[in-house]
Amino acid sequence: MRITKEKKQENYDRIVATASELFRERGFDGVGVAELMERAGLTHGGFYNHFRSKEELIAESTENGLSETLQRYAGHDVLDVMELYLAREHRDGRGQGCTAAALSCDAARQPEKTKAVFAAGIEKLVRAVEGGIARHHASSAGGRAQAIAILAQAVGAIVLSRACPDDFPLADELLDACLADCRDAIENRMRER
């Protein structure tokens, strides 16, 4: 029995969303196609109706996850974004969290296509942070460099915090110190106006 274009698109979207969450939780190598399709409520064989390979799905789900991150914080003030991003809830919610924090290390070992998707997504994150900083002050001088530094620091803090045991004090110290530093950097720019 043939399925409609709408149903095929719905299945495709479900596979990508499921993969995006599972990959963020366990990494690219921690999820097999059979498990992914079962979690999506579809048959294993149906995977190849949508993707030529797992690598193709990795690139697509990465783009989806990075877009989700942008959408999640769109419209928020950059200081509010830092509060939300560098929170214990984000750290602990890996499957729903930022793809850059969850999968950048895995992406470094992926084919160029996946790296290119990451680069494009990271560029969009940098521009979003840069735009958020620009709304706080008129001068755009150094705004891109500061946005890169803030993004790298925030992503790094999440990565390092997740590497610590949950009850280890350093896990929260990393988030708190980074949040304070990012807040100071943004507020200092605002005072420069």
Side-chain angles (χ1 to χ4, degrees):
M1 176 169 69
R2 297 185 59 82
I3 61 172
T4 65
K5 286 182 183 181
E6 292 81 16
K7 183 63 175 170
K8 185 172 182 174
Q9 185 63 48
E10 180 185 314
N11 290 346
Y12 177 89
D13 293 343
R14 188 174 339 141
I15 294 167
V16 170
T18 302
S20 184
E21 182 174 339
L22 286 174
F23 289 150
R24 283 179 281 185
E25 285 176 8
R26 293 187 275 175
F28 296 132
D29 293 335
V31 180
V33 171
E35 177 190 7
L36 165 68
M37 293 301 284
E38 182 179 327
R39 180 74 79 83
L42 301 165
T43 64
H44 180 213
F47 176 85
Y48 297 99
N49 292 331
H50 301 282
F51 304 97
R52 290 186 300 267
S53 65
K54 182 178 175 183
E55 288 73 29
E56 186 178 313
L57 173 61
I58 285 171
E60 186 65 29
S61 66
T62 296
E63 187 173 354
N64 180 72
L66 289 165
S67 293
E68 282 179 8
T69 298
L70 282 168
Q71 291 169 3
R72 182 177 307 119
Y73 299 118
H76 290 278
D77 180 82
V78 69
L79 292 170
D80 293 339
V81 170
M82 290 297 112
E83 294 275 345
L84 294 167
Y85 193 91
L86 292 165
R88 187 65 185 230
E89 294 77 23
H90 178 223
R91 182 239 190 223
D92 294 344
R94 185 179 318 230
Q96 292 74 42
C98 176
T99 297
L103 293 169
S104 288
C105 293
D106 282 16
R109 293 181 285 280
Q110 293 297 311
E112 292 302 312
K113 180 178 180 181
T114 301
K115 288 180 183 182
V117 169
F118 257 89
I122 292 168
E123 177 63 39
K124 289 176 185 174
L125 292 172
V126 167
R127 285 194 304 247
V129 173
E130 186 177 13
I133 293 169
R135 283 190 283 282
H136 282 283
H137 57 84
S139 170
S140 61
R144 180 171 173 79
Q146 185 178 33
I148 289 170
I150 287 171
L151 178 64
Q153 187 175 6
V155 169
I158 293 292
V159 170
L160 293 174
S161 180
R162 285 178 177 166
C164 296
D166 287 344
D167 60 347
F168 202 66
L170 183 58
D172 289 325
E173 287 178 277
L174 287 159
L175 300 176
D176 295 342
C178 181
L179 177 59
D181 193 59
C182 289
R183 188 183 302 124
D184 285 349
I186 294 166
E187 288 174 348
N188 284 339
R189 292 283 300 217
M190 291 188 319
R191 284 192 284 274
E192 293 171 7
R193 286 173 81 167

